[in-house]
Amino acid sequence: MRAGEAFRVALGALVANKLRSSLTMLGVVIGVAAVVVLVALGAGAKHEVEQQVEGLGSNIIIVVPGKFELGSAPTISRLTLDDVDLLGRVVGDERRVAVSVASGENVSVGRRETFVTVNGVNENVPNVFDRPLARGEYITASDVDTRRRVAVLGSTVVRRVFGDVDPLGRQVSIAGVRFRVIGVFAPVGSTFGVDRDTEVHIPVTAAQRLFGVDRIDALAVKAPRADDVEPLQGKLTAALRDKYDGEEFSAVTQTQILGTIGRILGLLTLVLAAIAAISLLVGGVGVSNIMLVSVRERTREIGLRKALGARQRDILLQFLIEAVLLCVVGGLIGIGLGVGSSLLVAAVSPLPAVIAWWSPALAFTVSAAVGVFFGVAPARRAGRLDPVVALRTE
Amino acid sequence: MSSPAVEAVDVRRSYHLDGVSVEALRGVSLRIDPGEYVAVVGPSGSGKSTLMHLLGCLDRPTSGMLRVGDRDVATLGDGELAGLRNRTIGFVFQSFQLLGRTTALDNVALPLVYRGVRRAERRERAEAALTAVGLAHRLGHRPGQLSGGEQQRVAIARALVGEPGLLLADEPTGNLDTGSGAEIMALLDGLVRDRGVAVVVVTHDPEVAALARRRVRMRDGLIE
Ligand SMILES: Nc1ncnc2c1ncn2[C@@H]1O[C@H](COP(=O)(O)OP(=O)(O)O)[C@@H](O)[C@H]1O
Ligand SMILES: [Mg+2]
């Protein structure tokens, strides 16, 4: 028998049982769509985070106490403002060293208030990070030296506490202490629905007094050139280890943070896809089940075909094509549904979605493979039926 | 002497059910020459259908030799056996065995599908075969839309469409009333006479058996 003929017979059998074929296909449709959507969401999350980290600027080294691991408990910091000088000497330019000490505080104007992270920083932040201002000025060296109570606000904070009023030059209360607004950050938008325009920067000296601490949480160093990044990492941690009697410090780069985040999101995507793949597997079992029912129902037909000259191979092929057709058509619909849902999710929710070209291709291949894998057993059973026994069946 | 259409030499066929062995055929020898018309008669359970299945290469003997044309069935693989069935044997069953969702024309064309004949030629030959059994006006009908006699005529057209050398009919009139049964047998007789096809027909009907030039009587798995 020609392959085209087997295809026509298989298609005919599927069309003759439209409802059953559709329901069987539904399992595959859902499985494939789930894989496509979850992979798209995983890839979207990764893309978003990467963009955000890259948006910070290039050649940045973050220096933190302890060992750098995402998800590990933060180490109590012994870093102080003096370390700016120390690291400045290592880099050769103190202006390339920014600091941060952060705390969640209430920020208010009159009765309007909001709870945000307040960052104590030095004047070097603009030299290290790409974080342009929309209006006003940033914190200066003299602000830091004189512990001046000035603040630079993110656009969301401005909207929350000032509304439509122009904030420049006005007073804002941070943890009950009055600060004067000297600048407003340019908006950067949100990631995963988390607003990133809620920052408040104040001079690190003012922050330490406000929070009642002497420490700083982290330092950020901008290497002059990309080639300097790696040697600098070693030198920075070595200098700090020397000063703090062998205590551990980490100097991590964007690439390393990206790598870590990438690994975590990659793993997450894989786990999600694996869970989705289980539903595809269940769909495959459904196909297998229906094919077995179909073989049983059509036992007499199989016997007759054999009596008329069909070989084992012809019958096997007919049923295998039927199973693969169910899965492939289901797979194509699933891909359409998956891509559609991903775009819809990306459009109406804060979750980003990126359709990688390989994910529909993979989903298609897998669903075809599922068809073959789960179709082969019923098809072989059909092919092996004894025609005499099959013809006797009612 | 020319080779027989089919020949069985001392064939036995036993079935094993739950450790009990049933001997359906206990050493049967039978030779059917090309163009011969043979009726097989005998009580129910005497092994007539079992013999037909063996002659039609749907089954293999437990022992003994079976030849179709000049080929020893024991030397053929399952695929070759299927090819042999397709080219040299036509079956007519008591219960018609037509595909219910398929038109008369496509039912008749089915053996040609497994011979790799192209669609256009299949249609042409199936139409000719249906015309020969007097159903030229029923090409697009499905089995459910046909009377029992008409369905059996479709089955006969299907058995003959591939121009086999041997036609095997197992109680072809068993599901028909006397009138249609007689019509079917007359039709069959006319068709095979023209074409030189050997016919073996199993029947309980003395009138049907009377049409045959030779009668084989079976009892308890043996030819009397
Ligand atoms: N598949 C089978 N399994 C077990 N016994 C069978 C099978 N087919 C036929 N038989 C037995 O073989 C004997 C002959 O059966 P069969 O050839 O159908 O007789 P007939 O067609 O003459 O009525 C019977 O006793 C029947 O029960
Ligand atoms: Mg019988």
Side-chain angles (χ1 to χ4, degrees):
Chain A
M1 183 165 61
R2 295 157 194 279
E5 208 62 52
F7 185 85
R8 253 170 30 89
V9 173
L11 195 64
L14 291 180
V15 171
N17 269 310
K18 281 189 202 71
L19 182 62
R20 188 161 83 184
S21 303
S22 319
L23 288 176
T24 309
M25 233 184 257
L26 196 60
V28 180
V29 170
I30 291 171
V32 169
V35 171
V36 170
V37 168
L38 290 175
V39 169
L41 291 179
K46 197 168 163 184
H47 179 75
E48 183 98 7
V49 170
E50 279 170 2
Q51 268 196 332
Q52 189 184 328
V53 174
E54 274 161 11
L56 289 174
S58 50
N59 304 343
I60 298 170
I61 305 167
I62 309 283
V63 180
V64 290
K67 222 175 161 68
F68 172 75
E69 262 169 26
L70 271 169
S72 67
T75 311
I76 302 298
S77 175
R78 287 176 61 194
L79 293 169
T80 68
L81 266 180
D82 295 339
D83 296 323
V84 175
D85 296 340
L86 175 68
L87 298 193
R89 280 196 297 280
V90 176
V91 192
D93 185 353
E94 199 176 291
R95 285 172 306 177
R96 291 181 174 278
V97 183
V99 300
S100 163
V101 56
S103 171
E105 302 292 349
N106 264 317
V107 174
S108 62
V109 172
R111 260 183 290 165
R112 308 174 72 133
E113 75 173 3
T114 180
F115 187 82
V116 292
T117 301
V118 174
N119 247 301
V121 298
N122 64 4
E123 71 281 6
N124 297 331
V125 166
N127 306 337
V128 179
F129 298 101
D130 297 338
R131 189 78 167 92
L133 295 182
R135 319 194 38 212
E137 308 284 335
Y138 197 70
I139 292 155
T140 63
S142 110
D143 293 335
V144 174
D145 291 342
T146 61
R147 206 182 283 153
R148 203 167 279 141
R149 292 202 295 276
V150 292
V152 179
L153 308 183
S155 56
T156 299
V157 180
V158 170
R159 192 163 29 77
R160 284 190 194 152
V161 299
F162 286 104
D164 296 331
V165 178
D166 181 0
L168 280 189
R170 291 185 183 273
Q171 301 288 320
V172 64
S173 160
I174 300 175
V177 178
R178 293 164 86 76
F179 283 70
R180 186 165 50 86
V181 180
I182 57 167
V184 177
F185 286 115
V188 287
S190 58
T191 304
F192 309 133
V194 177
D195 196 329
R196 290 167 58 205
D197 292 308
T198 58
E199 287 181 287
V200 173
H201 285 196
I202 59 176
V204 59
T205 44
Q208 285 177 328
R209 164 162 304 179
L210 192 65
F211 306 156
V213 298
D214 292 325
R215 65 174 161 91
I216 56 169
D217 295 329
L219 295 133
V221 175
K222 175 107 168 170
R225 291 174 305 127
D227 289 346
D228 299 329
V229 171
E230 220 183 290
L232 261 181
Q233 281 179 273
K235 286 186 203 159
L236 292 170
T237 47
L240 287 171
R241 238 195 327 268
D242 264 3
K243 178 175 167 188
Y244 292 101
D245 327 314
E247 211 167 296
E248 179 119 43
F249 290 92
S250 307
V252 295
T253 63
Q254 281 144 299
T255 325
Q256 287 167 329
I257 295 173
L258 278 181
T260 307
I261 293 171
R263 268 196 303 283
I264 289 172
L265 285 177
L267 197 69
L268 194 70
T269 307
L270 205 69
V271 169
L272 290 177
I275 292 171
I278 291 174
S279 71
L280 186 56
L281 207 67
V282 173
V285 173
V287 169
S288 196
N289 194 17
I290 282 302
M291 290 310 298
L292 281 173
V293 171
S294 181
V295 169
R296 171 151 304 180
E297 265 181 12
R298 279 144 68 194
T299 299
R300 230 158 49 93
E301 173 189 328
I302 295 164
L304 173 73
R305 286 178 184 276
K306 284 193 143 186
L308 299 183
R311 286 163 302 172
Q312 192 161 323
R313 230 190 52 187
D314 296 324
I315 301 292
L316 186 141
L317 197 66
Q318 177 189 329
F319 280 89
L320 196 57
I321 289 177
E322 214 174 300
V324 172
L325 217 52
L326 271 177
C327 286
V328 162
V329 173
L332 286 176
I333 297 173
I335 288 169
L337 192 69
V339 170
S341 319
S342 303
L343 297 179
L344 191 71
V345 166
V348 305
S349 83
L351 296 174
V354 173
I355 307 277
W357 65 267
W358 56 262
S359 109
L362 184 73
F364 181 82
T365 314
V366 168
S367 52
V370 162
V372 173
F373 185 80
F374 287 99
V376 121
R380 281 171 72 115
R381 171 175 289 200
R384 285 201 186 133
L385 277 178
D386 177 350
V388 172
V389 176
L391 278 170
R392 266 183 218 263
T393 320
E394 267 321 305
Chain B
M1 204 163 88
S2 71
S3 57
V6 61
E7 182 176 22
V9 179
D10 193 30
V11 297
R12 292 162 189 273
R13 179 67 168 97
S14 48
Y15 296 103
H16 301 278
L17 277 182
D18 309 322
V20 186
S21 161
V22 180
E23 281 236 285
L25 294 180
R26 302 188 291 148
V28 169
S29 296
L30 181 66
R31 177 191 167 102
I32 314 276
D33 281 320
E36 232 190 330
Y37 196 131
V38 179
V40 178
V41 295
S44 182
S46 57
K48 306 182 298 293
S49 291
T50 305
L51 178 63
M52 294 294 265
H53 293 144
L54 289 177
L55 296 179
C57 302
L58 281 175
D59 196 9
R60 292 171 189 269
T62 312
S63 73
M65 194 199 57
L66 192 72
R67 282 201 299 159
V68 174
D70 54 1
R71 313 194 67 173
D72 182 349
V73 166
T75 65
L76 301 178
D78 283 346
E80 290 170 301
L81 213 55
L84 190 69
R85 278 201 294 275
N86 184 262
R87 274 176 280 107
T88 63
I89 294 160
F91 286 100
V92 177
F93 304 95
Q94 179 177 350
S95 51
F96 319 139
Q97 304 281 14
L98 300 175
L99 296 185
R101 294 192 304 261
T102 311
T103 62
L105 193 73
D106 286 338
N107 265 295
V108 172
L110 202 52
L112 302 179
V113 167
Y114 293 107
R115 205 182 289 188
V117 176
R118 294 195 168 280
R119 203 167 151 71
E121 190 190 333
R122 289 205 307 259
R123 275 191 74 89
E124 214 170 276
R125 288 173 66 174
E127 204 174 322
L130 277 166
T131 307
V133 298
L135 287 178
H137 58 303
R138 293 278 189 270
L139 304 183
H141 283 57
R142 283 161 212 280
Q145 302 163 326
L146 298 171
S147 73
E150 284 173 325
Q151 289 188 49
Q152 195 60 303
R153 280 197 270 167
V154 172
I156 289 170
R158 181 180 64 193
L160 292 175
V161 75
E163 295 173 351
L166 175 64
L167 186 116
L168 301 171
D170 193 348
E171 304 193 34
T173 61
N175 282 13
L176 301 175
D177 60 74
T178 323
S180 325
E183 261 177 57
I184 286 292
M185 288 319 297
L187 175 74
L188 198 62
D189 196 33
L191 285 172
V192 297
R193 204 184 296 271
D194 294 350
R195 301 175 192 219
V197 180
V199 176
V200 181
V201 55
V202 171
T203 187
H204 290 300
D205 186 339
E207 279 182 51
V208 172
L211 282 170
R213 261 121 288 169
R214 194 173 134 209
R215 245 176 292 176
V216 172
R217 184 172 296 278
M218 291 195 68
R219 178 178 296 277
D220 285 339
L222 290 170
I223 290 179
E224 282 185 339

